[in-house]
Amino acid sequence: MREVNNDRVFPPRAMTRHDTGGRAAEMRRDAPSKLPSQPHHTENLTLIRLCLQFLRVISHMYRNVNAAFPRIRVNFTNISKRPLVKLKTTVNSFLSLRTSTVYCDFKTTLVNALMQLFVVAKCIVNMKGIKWIFGRRRSGVKQARMLLLLYMGGLSRYSEGRPDNDLHIGGIFPMEGEGGWQGGQACKPAAELALADVNERSDLLSGFKLLLHSNDSKCEPGLGASVMYNLLYNPPQKLLLLAGCSTVCTTVAEAAKMWNLMVLCYGASSPALSDRARFPTLFRTHPSATVHNPTRIKLMQKFGWSRIAILQQAEEVFISTVEDLEAHCKKSGIEIVTRQSFLSDPNDAVRNLRRQDARVIVGLFYVVAARRVLCEVYKHQLYGKSHVWFFIGWYEDNWFETNLEREGIDCTVEQMRKAAEGHLTTEALMWNQNANQTTISGMTSEDFRSRLNDALKEAGYDIDGERFPEGYQEAPLAYDAVWAVALAFNKTMEKLEKSGLSLKNFTYTNKKIADDIYEAINSTSFLGVSGLVAFSSQGDRIALTQIEQLSNNHYVKLGYYDTQADNLTWLDREQWVGGKVPPDRTVVVNELRTVSLPLFACMTALCIAGILAAIGLIVFNIMHRHRRVIQWSHPACNTVMLCGCCVCLGAAVALGIDGRWVTPQHYTGLCATRAWLLAIGFSMAYGAMFTKVWRVHRHTTKPKAETQKRKHGWKLYTMVGALLVVDVALLTAWQLRDPLQRRVEIFPLETPRHHDDDVHIRPELEHCESEHNTIWLGVMYGYKGLVLVFGLFLAYETRSVKIRQINDSRYVGMSIYNVVVLCLITAPVTLVIASQQDAAFAFVSLAIVFCCFLSMALIFIPKVIEVIRHPTERIESGRGSGSGSSPADEERYRELVKENEELQKLIAQKEERIRVLKQKLAERETAAADSVTQGTGGGVLADLATATSDYGTSTNYTRSSRASVSDLDFSESYL
């Protein structure tokens, strides 16, 4: 194997021509005495140069012999593993060494020597040459020197370049650079091993050697194009180009088609390179990066991730990969929450990932950028049990620990390890997984690994310390790429021999031979150290995908995925930080806000107590319905009021029933129940009190003849019935036109009490609302508000009125005051605190309970006390509904009222008379400034005596008109 370094463009070397024409003319004009003599030092330098050139040829032969010895040593070293196979391989290697290397080189050298001796002999026979060589002025030593120069010069010129036995290919290896992929550090030694192995084979490229001319591209497309032009325009002519790094391969492959050159990429994964229209002469042993996307989708489906984020470097290979990944995600129903890209500094992009709450993140970047990203991941806390990263699998195993100081990464090794823990990688299989399977080169993958490690150790890499150069994972791809070239050339040579052509006839304009090479590569299929090597119609490598996870600073194989067969082989070795699969988003738990159970229990207990009390009072009202204290308070209205209180207390309990007890499907019925209970209960309880107050107001405003008429019991229900009819009409229209539905109010996310970063609480609160809820509430509140205000007005107007027919009118008025005040406070406050379920329920239920309890207490406690104080009162049979008094009592009562009115009129007249007398007295005192006459005083005294006499008369009249003892007892019992 021979490698030539083309560093710059230089013109092809011209063939050396000897100016024999001029010398012949001189020799013809002049005899040998005029032959030009060469300077002595020039001849010595020429001889030294030719000797060095001859030694170079000999050393080339020696290297060819030694190139096969490592292979033989490896086979002898490993002969104990598979003795028969290894012995056969060693013998074949030795025979191929003997026949291919030693014999061919020896034969070539011998033929060259004989040809040169023939040339020398011909020169000697030539008479002019004899005269020139054996001239009189030339000594024997000089003549021998000239013959040696002539012989060795011809031999060296023939050996130099070996134009008839060498096949030249160009190699572009990324060895150094600031960013990108410097995989040539390991891929170039692998390619050199492949060249040595190929050239050892006698059954490949018979009579030809495969030579590699390479240079460094630094994974920069511009420099890669420059290297390509140097390789093309510097002799010898190249038959094919090897290239690595996607950006360089893109530039080289797009331009190489202009020279009909095939390009074989050993380290390019850009999906853009699969475009046959754009890259018609490209093949690659490295699988396309799109082979990872189906694997990533399969993993996301396996772990239930449906929301991901993408972080990419702004390179074509990653841009096209992301576009393919987006298409797969859309097809699989996976949401891409954000797609961040960066050129060199990933700080802002990683920060945006945290803002978007990215949990499952696919990272696509070169290894140098990957170290910067990982440091930012540690700084922004995007790692651990809440996050999972997908990285590219062709990084080295210790990629996150190396070159930190040289690249200016301000994170320690421990920090980088902590951030990298648990991440997943997907990579195409680049090493044959069957370690005992012999490949086309006669080695197993482990044999190749051993040879590669030895070569890298000689190059100065600390392989024993697991400090592998970049591109170590792709080294088998470079090795198999050279074998693919050799096999394709061999197949092409066999085809060209039938038409009398050879690969040496290839030129950059010869499309026929280029097509033959294309067909040979396209049909190539063999078992290499990287596995089965075959190419698709797009020139892509067909390979399986391997899935690994970093666990405890070591990569663990989790499984394999066959894209074509859609077969995932899983080994169940995954280990997650925290012991569970990271979620694909912040887990949002919908927590329904319900009424506090202790609060609900307390209010329910109060409501039940109120209902029991109301039932007890109803029983009390029925049992003592014939007693005057009950009869004169309209017991029928009291019973309706108590029933209304029971309904209202039931509505209070219904307000506390929520999603804890009722399913969402039945919540609509609960909403309707609340509305109907509250409206009907209010109308019954408040309507009964409103009816009493209305009766009192009617007694004080209507003529006495109408008030003395007997009232029928059914008329007492008219007012309550009217209120209930209005309620039923409104509620029915509301229920039919725009029924109340369950509406959920969603609150901002809250941090749970146990401070788990993976879980956030989204509070929800149920409400009973309709589409036009504001309008219906306005109508209902307006109607109820008018009734409340009117009842308040009537209660105020009759605040000091006492009538025997309704003996508890003052207490009813006080109850109305309380109901109105509490309703006016509760309704607006409830609208404000509706989002606070406990406060709203407590406020409304307490208002209902307080109204009911206060109304029952004001109206019934005096009656209960009266019954307790006078348990032996005679029970009178009532003859009328609502009025329990006899006709005689009614008559006496009317007489007393009439007498009271007459006395009030008389008192008013006397008070007016006294006022006039006092006014006259004041006038007279003013007129008589110094003295008062006797006559005037007598007049005044007379007037006073008259007034006194009148007052005494009225007093006597009053006493004579006093009621009987029974009347006094009746007045005392009147409440």
Side-chain angles (χ1 to χ4, degrees):
M1 184 221 27
R2 181 172 60 193
E3 181 182 339
V4 181
N5 194 343
N6 298 77
D7 292 329
R8 60 186 181 278
V9 178
F10 55 89
R13 292 174 294 180
M15 296 296 294
T16 305
R17 298 184 301 172
H18 299 281
D19 193 3
T20 57
R23 291 181 180 275
E26 275 191 45
M27 291 173 68
R28 286 195 299 269
R29 289 194 304 266
D30 203 354
S33 60
K34 294 184 179 180
L35 286 173
S37 61
Q38 293 183 348
H40 179 69
H41 67 276
T42 303
E43 293 179 359
N44 292 334
L45 291 176
T46 303
L47 181 61
I48 293 172
R49 183 180 65 82
L50 292 175
C51 289
L52 293 176
Q53 189 72 6
F54 184 76
L55 292 175
R56 179 183 175 188
V57 174
I58 299 301
S59 65
H60 169 70
M61 295 171 58
Y62 177 74
R63 285 197 307 269
N64 287 340
V65 174
N66 286 339
F69 284 155
R71 166 85 175 280
I72 298 173
R73 287 196 303 267
V74 171
N75 290 331
F76 273 112
T77 302
N78 299 328
I79 198 168
S80 61
K81 296 180 180 179
R82 300 180 65 185
L84 296 179
V85 177
K86 295 300 181 180
L87 182 59
K88 181 180 178 181
T89 305
T90 303
V91 173
N92 291 335
S93 300
F94 179 76
L95 292 177
S96 65
L97 170 66
R98 179 178 61 81
T99 57
S100 175
T101 305
V102 179
Y103 174 71
C104 291
D105 289 344
F106 178 75
K107 181 180 69 173
T108 303
T109 305
L110 182 60
V111 171
N112 292 341
L114 291 175
M115 291 181 66
Q116 288 303 107
L117 288 174
F118 176 77
V119 173
V120 172
K122 186 177 180 180
C123 291
I124 294 174
V125 173
N126 190 307
M127 295 303 295
K128 294 182 180 180
I130 294 174
K131 291 180 181 179
W132 178 66
I133 296 173
F134 296 99
R136 297 175 182 177
R137 297 182 182 179
R138 297 225 178 238
S139 63
V141 177
K142 291 186 177 181
Q143 293 169 359
R145 182 182 296 168
M146 290 301 297
L147 290 175
L148 183 60
L149 288 174
L150 181 61
Y151 173 74
M152 296 184 64
L155 180 62
S156 300
R157 283 196 305 272
Y158 184 81
S159 300
E160 183 180 5
R162 303 174 61 84
D164 295 331
N165 294 326
D166 294 340
L167 300 177
H168 304 275
I169 60 175
I172 304 174
F173 294 94
M175 305 295 294
E176 300 176 356
E178 295 294 331
W181 179 68
Q182 285 81 45
Q185 298 172 7
C187 289
K188 184 177 178 181
E192 293 171 352
L193 292 176
L195 281 172
D197 294 343
V198 166
N199 289 330
E200 289 176 5
R201 294 284 291 267
S202 60
D203 56 341
L204 284 178
L205 306 175
S206 178
F208 290 89
K209 296 287 183 186
L210 193 61
L211 300 182
L212 177 65
H213 305 258
S214 66
N215 210 333
D216 183 12
S217 67
K218 297 183 179 180
C219 198
E220 297 179 4
L223 183 57
S226 176
V227 171
M228 180 192 70
Y229 293 137
N230 289 343
L231 292 171
L232 294 181
Y233 288 106
N234 287 337
Q237 187 167 256
K238 314 303 183 299
L239 297 174
L240 182 140
L241 293 178
L242 291 176
C245 182
S246 294
T247 56
V248 174
C249 284
T250 301
T251 303
V252 171
E254 200 166 16
K257 62 185 178 182
M258 308 302 297
W259 285 270
N260 292 317
L261 270 178
M262 299 298 112
V263 179
L264 187 57
C265 293
Y266 55 85
S269 60
S270 174
L273 296 175
S274 300
D275 187 357
R276 260 287 172 252
R278 183 181 175 189
F279 309 102
T281 62
L282 174 68
F283 293 89
R284 48 181 170 172
T285 56
H286 195 298
S288 172
T290 56
V291 76
H292 300 269
N293 291 335
T295 307
R296 295 183 179 114
I297 297 297
K298 196 70 176 180
L299 286 177
M300 294 171 190
Q301 293 175 344
K302 175 178 176 59
F303 293 114
W305 296 324
S306 60
R307 181 179 181 270
I308 67 169
I310 299 175
L311 178 63
Q312 67 174 71
Q313 192 175 4
E315 297 287 351
E316 183 182 13
V317 55
F318 304 122
I319 294 174
S320 54
T321 303
V322 168
E323 291 174 353
D324 181 76
L325 179 59
E326 287 179 338
H328 280 83
C329 289
K330 184 177 181 180
K331 183 178 179 181
S332 303
I334 297 175
E335 175 192 1
I336 299 178
V337 63
T338 182
R339 174 179 172 180
Q340 299 292 327
S341 62
F342 65 93
L343 186 60
S344 59
D345 185 8
N347 182 24
D348 293 337
V350 175
R351 184 185 297 111
N352 290 336
L353 290 178
R354 184 167 186 82
R355 292 174 180 171
Q356 295 293 331
D357 191 33
R359 296 304 182 94
V360 180
I361 308 164
V362 178
L364 300 171
F365 24 70
Y366 287 119
V367 66
V368 177
R371 283 188 276 267
R372 300 193 187 102
V373 168
L374 195 61
C375 185
E376 296 299 328
V377 166
Y378 177 81
K379 293 178 181 178
H380 292 88
Q381 301 296 311
L382 287 175
Y383 65 92
K385 63 180 180 179
S386 302
H387 300 83
V388 59
W389 283 82
F390 282 83
F391 287 148
I392 300 175
W394 41 257
Y395 302 157
E396 304 307 319
D397 287 350
N398 59 342
W399 62 270
F400 50 88
E401 300 177 355
T402 59
N403 301 328
L404 299 183
E405 295 182 1
R406 185 167 64 87
E407 296 173 5
I409 297 176
D410 55 347
C411 288
T412 64
V413 173
E414 291 300 326
Q415 291 173 346
M416 297 288 281
R417 289 177 179 175
K418 188 175 182 180
E421 180 67 22
H423 75 260
L424 299 174
T425 63
T426 56
E427 61 175 320
L429 289 179
M430 300 178 187
W431 293 81
N432 191 350
Q433 299 302 301
N434 192 344
N436 297 323
Q437 189 175 21
T438 303
T439 64
I440 191 173
S441 62
M443 296 185 301
T444 65
S445 59
E446 290 302 320
D447 295 338
F448 169 73
R449 189 188 299 270
S450 177
R451 290 183 60 193
L452 178 63
N453 291 343
D454 293 338
L456 293 176
K457 289 178 183 178
E458 293 178 2
Y461 292 102
D462 184 14
I463 302 301
D464 295 334
E466 296 186 354
R467 300 295 180 180
F468 299 99
E470 195 164 347
Y472 185 80
Q473 295 293 334
E474 292 78 12
L477 305 180
Y479 183 88
D480 287 343
V482 175
W483 272 94
V485 171
L487 293 173
F489 282 175
N490 191 70
K491 188 179 295 185
T492 305
M493 290 172 62
E494 294 175 355
K495 184 177 181 180
L496 292 176
E497 284 179 359
K498 297 178 181 179
S499 58
L501 298 176
S502 173
L503 284 175
K504 302 302 296 184
N505 300 117
F506 173 77
T507 61
Y508 297 144
T509 59
N510 193 331
K511 192 173 187 305
K512 181 183 180 307
I513 297 180
D515 292 341
D516 291 340
I517 297 175
Y518 175 88
E519 292 178 2
I521 299 177
N522 193 39
S523 61
T524 297
S525 178
F526 63 94
L527 182 62
V529 295
S530 63
L532 180 64
V533 179
F535 303 100
S536 66
S537 59
Q538 290 80 22
D540 294 335
R541 171 75 177 276
I542 302 173
L544 298 177
T545 308
Q546 176 178 277
I547 305 162
E548 292 182 325
Q549 183 185 39
L550 186 70
S551 180
N552 296 324
N553 207 33
H554 293 284
Y555 281 101
V556 178
K557 293 180 183 178
L558 301 183
Y560 305 94
Y561 181 63
D562 186 353
T563 305
Q564 294 181 335
D566 190 23
N567 181 29
L568 177 64
T569 303
W570 197 250
L571 304 178
D572 292 324
R573 297 176 181 173
E574 67 273 19
Q575 293 182 0
W576 301 107
V577 179
K580 63 178 181 179
V581 179
D584 61 353
R585 67 195 75 196
T586 299
V587 177
V588 178
V589 178
N590 294 330
E591 184 180 87
L592 185 64
R593 286 185 174 179
T594 57
V595 176
S596 173
L597 191 59
L599 176 63
F600 177 72
C602 293
M603 298 311 302
T604 302
L606 286 176
C607 293
I608 293 175
I611 293 173
L612 294 177
I615 294 174
L617 291 176
I618 291 174
V619 173
F620 173 82
N621 194 52
I622 295 174
M623 291 178 62
H624 300 85
R625 62 185 180 277
H626 299 297
R627 298 192 63 158
R628 286 175 296 180
V629 67
I630 301 298
Q631 290 177 351
W632 294 341
S633 64
H634 288 294
C637 287
N638 293 339
T639 302
V640 172
M641 186 204 71
L642 292 173
C643 292
C645 289
C646 291
V647 175
C648 288
L649 292 173
V653 175
L655 290 175
I657 299 175
D658 46 31
R660 178 188 288 141
W661 318 101
V662 180
T663 61
Q665 294 78 9
H666 299 90
Y667 200 84
T668 301
L670 177 63
C671 292
T673 301
R674 289 176 179 176
W676 282 84
L677 288 178
L678 196 56
I680 298 300
F682 177 83
S683 295
M684 292 178 66
Y686 183 80
M689 293 185 290
F690 181 82
T691 301
K692 286 188 177 184
V693 126
W694 174 261
R695 289 289 306 278
V696 173
H697 185 267
R698 293 281 294 175
H699 272 282
T700 57
T701 55
K702 283 191 174 184
K704 295 179 181 178
E706 295 184 10
T707 59
Q708 292 175 1
K709 292 181 180 180
R710 184 176 178 180
K711 300 295 182 182
H712 299 282
W714 62 268
K715 292 184 179 180
L716 300 177
Y717 301 100
T718 303
M719 187 65 66
V720 178
L723 295 177
L724 289 177
V725 168
V726 176
D727 282 338
V728 171
L730 287 176
L731 291 173
T732 302
W734 191 354
Q735 188 71 21
L736 295 178
R737 298 282 298 176
D738 189 14
L740 290 169
Q741 302 289 337
R742 178 180 181 267
R743 187 186 70 82
V744 178
E745 180 183 2
I746 299 176
F747 297 89
L749 295 178
E750 297 178 356
T751 304
R753 287 178 289 273
H754 48 74
H755 302 289
D756 191 348
D757 294 335
D758 293 340
V759 179
H760 279 72
I761 304 300
R762 177 182 287 138
E764 295 180 348
L765 184 61
E766 295 171 316
H767 294 285
C768 291
E769 292 185 3
S770 57
E771 185 177 355
H772 305 288
N773 192 66
T774 305
I775 297 175
W776 292 106
L777 283 180
V779 173
M780 186 64 70
Y781 283 170
Y783 154 62
K784 297 292 184 183
L786 288 176
V787 175
L788 286 173
V789 172
F790 192 42
L792 181 64
F793 170 75
L794 294 179
Y796 180 78
E797 287 291 321
T798 60
R799 65 188 181 278
S800 58
V801 176
K802 288 184 179 182
I803 60 175
R804 185 172 55 84
Q805 290 86 345
I806 303 177
N807 57 6
D808 54 0
S809 60
R810 292 184 60 187
Y811 299 111
V812 171
M814 293 174 62
S815 299
I816 290 177
Y817 293 154
N818 294 322
V819 171
V820 171
V821 171
L822 288 175
C823 289
L824 292 179
I825 294 175
T826 303
V829 172
T830 303
L831 296 177
V832 174
I833 62 174
S835 297
Q836 304 176 25
Q837 73 281 2
D838 288 339
F841 171 69
F843 201 83
V844 174
S845 58
L846 280 176
I848 294 174
V849 169
F850 188 74
C851 287
C852 293
F853 273 85
L854 188 61
S855 299
M856 290 188 296
L858 287 175
I859 294 176
F860 281 93
I861 286 180
K863 296 178 176 60
V864 172
I865 294 174
E866 179 65 20
V867 171
I868 294 174
R869 285 181 177 179
H870 303 87
T872 60
E873 179 182 357
R874 183 176 57 88
I875 300 177
E876 302 175 0
S877 60
R879 300 182 183 178
S881 178
S883 178
S885 59
S886 62
D889 292 337
E890 291 287 344
E891 183 64 23
R892 285 195 298 271
Y893 177 75
R894 284 194 292 271
E895 290 178 356
L896 290 174
V897 170
K898 183 177 180 181
E899 183 180 355
N900 187 33
E901 290 177 354
E902 292 176 354
L903 291 175
Q904 287 179 353
K905 291 180 181 179
L906 183 60
I907 292 172
Q909 293 176 359
K910 297 303 179 180
E911 287 179 351
E912 179 65 20
R913 179 63 179 170
I914 292 172
R915 185 185 65 78
V916 172
L917 291 176
K918 288 182 178 180
Q919 183 178 2
K920 290 181 179 180
L921 180 61
E923 290 176 355
R924 291 179 181 179
E925 288 179 353
T926 303
D930 296 328
S931 61
V932 178
T933 60
Q934 183 69 24
T936 303
V940 174
L941 293 175
D943 292 336
L944 289 174
T946 304
T948 304
S949 174
D950 294 339
Y951 182 74
T953 305
S954 63
T955 303
N956 294 333
Y957 173 77
T958 301
R959 290 179 179 177
S960 63
S961 303
R962 302 290 289 212
S964 63
V965 177
S966 62
D967 292 334
L968 291 176
D969 293 338
F970 173 76
S971 298
E972 291 176 357
S973 63
Y974 175 69
L975 297 179

